[in-house]
Amino acid sequence: NINFGRKGKFLSSHGYDENYGRDEWINFGADKTKMNEWGVFDDYLLTKAKEKLKELHRTNQRFNLTLLTVEMHYPRGYYSPTCLERGAKTYE
């Protein structure tokens, strides 16, 4: 949730025009198999960020694209399906 830890308020007050939390991803139609209880899996986030990066680049305007990943959130974290398919077993 973008309001967890007041992230949304912090980001908005620091000039971020677009802020996406778990609920926003759901509203955008994110497949729930691409999500964990914190938000979207990192591989999905990076795929969407690449799309956004290309979109921003085409504007020929200055921009800042910031990502907050959650997959490696200690102590237990979340393995994406992609990592599990590749045999991930530990964060160490």
Side-chain angles (χ1 to χ4, degrees), residues 25-80:
W25 284 110
I26 291 170
N27 289 338
F28 291 145
D31 180 343
K32 290 192 179 185
T33 65
K34 308 279 186 202
M35 306 181 84
N36 57 55
E37 68 182 87
W38 285 91
V40 295
F41 286 113
D42 293 355
D43 56 351
Y44 182 77
L45 175 66
L46 294 172
T47 297
K48 292 300 183 182
K50 186 175 181 180
E51 293 171 9
K52 185 66 174 181
L53 181 64
K54 288 178 180 180
E55 175 189 323
L56 291 167
H57 186 262
R58 283 191 298 269
T59 69
N60 291 319
Q61 301 292 315
R62 292 173 31 166
F63 63 86
N64 173 34
L65 178 63
T66 304
L67 307 176
L68 174 61
T69 63
V70 296
E71 208 165 284
M72 298 294 291
H73 192 279
Y74 192 78
R76 63 185 180 128
Y78 295 93
Y79 288 109
S80 69

Side-chain angles (χ1 to χ4, degrees), residues 1 3 10 14-15 22 37 43-44 56 64 75 90:
N1 183 303
N3 296 317
F10 174 84
H14 284 77
R22 189 176 198 286
E37 68 182 87
D43 56 351
Y44 182 77
L56 291 167
N64 173 34
T90 180

